Amino acid sequence: MKALRIHGGRIDLAATCYPGAPQPWLDLSTGINPCPWPADPAPLVDLRGLPSPAAIRDLESAAAAMFGASADRVVALPGSEIGLRSLDSLGLPSPVRFVTPSYATHAEAISGATPIAREAIDTIRDGTLLLANPNNPDGDRDTPDRLLRIVRSGTWLVVDEAFADVAPAFSLVPRLATDDRAIIVRSFGKFFGLAGVRLGFIIAPPPQADTMRRRLGSWPVSALAVAYGTAAYRDTEWIAEARRSIVERAGRLDTLLGRHGLQSRGACPLFRLVETDDAPALFERLAASGILTRAFDHAPRWLRFGVPGDAAAFDRLDRALAHG
């Protein structure tokens, strides 16, 4: 059970812990879009050769167009977590602080980093600050104006924008000048629903972007990631419809949870956080019904719900909550 509170998406472990739960499991433990980019027809992928530099540049250009950045500042990564765990190589100044609560990875990303409450970040005038926007697991969002003031007050700012694709108005990327002291980390898998592709990006000033390129080497991502990422980022019709659909389903989840006396919070449409004394029992009851949610060691009253993908998933959650 403890491992299920460390990270979402462990359906294999949940099935072992709850062998009597009905199959198939409904995974609401992550913020990954359950309605993925359809890849129909699937992009052609030649796995016999290494991805060419030109193909990787095309991928970065396609992503840059969606982010609102110049392509020379966008570096493809084999997953956004690699970008976070490579921050130590970029020579960011001390002291380093990370906003909490947020991703567990943030506490480990930069050596010697110390936690700070979100309410206190406006007081920082030096060093490096790492935060997520939108934040996880509470879904809170900071305005780009606030973050830009921090950048221009003397602080290096690292923003984990893993969920920003669904809330582009809150992204800092389009507001940044080339020499602004900010590094943005983006995820492909969460919005496009294809976490197994293992693709992410950093957007950084040229010196830091060049350092990251050298660190990753000539073939930073797979041919499959190049093909799928390039095609998905250029599918503007799907992107627009996915943003609309995700927001609509988040509102439906709010209504469903409210009918069962659960007040949801958060402004990230891919997940909702519930705070209740019944969170541990509710987690157990849902797991016994084959529905995995996200519990937290450090906050036992919290339970996070990913947004269901279709009417059947909503009905199944509704029934499980009604049988409490």
Side-chain angles (χ1 to χ4, degrees):
M1 169 59 186
K2 180 178 175 60
L4 295 176
R5 298 192 295 267
I6 296 174
H7 199 281
R10 293 299 309 274
I11 291 296
D12 55 342
L13 180 60
T16 300
C17 295
Y18 302 90
Q23 303 287 329
W25 277 78
L26 173 58
D27 188 3
L28 301 181
S29 67
T30 78
I32 298 169
N33 184 1
C35 302
W37 182 68
D40 185 20
L44 294 176
V45 184
D46 184 355
L47 298 179
R48 295 170 299 176
L50 294 165
S52 70
I56 294 172
R57 286 197 298 270
D58 283 347
L59 166 65
E60 292 171 345
S61 294
M66 183 171 174
F67 302 158
S70 58
D72 62 313
R73 298 173 57 225
V74 176
V75 182
L77 312 165
S80 57
E81 185 171 1
I82 293 296
L84 290 166
R85 294 186 181 276
S86 299
L87 291 172
D88 259 336
S89 69
L90 299 183
L92 299 174
S94 298
V96 178
R97 307 168 180 91
F98 62 93
V99 171
T100 186
S102 192
Y103 293 94
T105 301
H106 290 185
E108 305 168 359
I110 305 177
S111 300
T114 58
I116 186 172
R118 183 171 293 269
E119 296 76 17
I121 65 176
D122 293 303
T123 65
I124 296 176
R125 297 291 183 270
D126 62 355
T128 300
L129 175 65
L130 169 60
L131 56 83
N133 192 44
N135 192 41
N136 176 43
D138 54 31
D140 288 350
R141 295 193 298 205
D142 277 303
T143 66
D145 286 340
R146 184 190 190 197
L147 298 181
L148 203 58
R149 285 195 298 271
I150 294 171
V151 170
R152 294 175 180 172
S153 70
T155 301
W156 267 91
L157 183 63
V158 180
V159 186
D160 186 341
E161 289 191 351
F163 290 103
D165 286 335
V166 76
F170 285 83
S171 173
L172 188 60
V173 175
R175 307 285 296 275
L176 292 172
T178 301
D179 58 350
D180 277 331
R181 290 172 289 190
I183 295 170
I184 313 300
V185 182
R186 295 288 284 253
S187 167
F188 171 79
K190 291 181 174 61
F191 176 71
F192 288 97
L194 298 172
V197 171
R198 302 311 303 141
L199 177 62
F201 302 85
I202 67 162
I203 302 96
Q208 286 71 34
D210 290 345
T211 297
M212 185 63 76
R213 290 187 201 280
R214 289 194 299 271
R215 178 180 177 85
L216 294 171
S218 299
W219 302 284
V221 293
S222 71
L224 188 145
V226 170
Y228 274 71
T230 304
Y233 279 118
R234 288 179 174 159
D235 192 346
T236 55
E237 290 186 9
W238 183 90
I239 289 167
E241 174 57 23
R243 285 171 172 162
R244 185 207 62 78
S245 173
I246 291 167
V247 170
E248 185 274 330
R249 285 184 282 115
R252 183 175 176 181
L253 178 60
D254 291 336
T255 301
L256 187 156
L257 293 172
R259 286 202 307 270
H260 297 282
L262 300 171
Q263 182 64 46
S264 59
R265 58 179 282 200
C268 180
L270 279 168
F271 58 84
R272 289 293 191 255
L273 185 69
V274 166
E275 187 169 1
T276 171
D277 289 338
D278 294 331
L282 184 55
F283 175 91
E284 292 289 335
R285 187 166 82 245
L286 291 172
S289 298
I291 300 174
L292 184 60
T293 54
R294 177 75 158 86
F296 300 89
D297 267 340
H298 65 276
R301 298 183 69 251
W302 286 3
L303 200 61
R304 194 189 66 192
F305 290 77
V307 175
D310 55 27
F314 274 102
D315 290 345
R316 185 172 174 184
L317 177 61
D318 196 13
R319 293 194 303 271
L321 290 172
H323 293 158

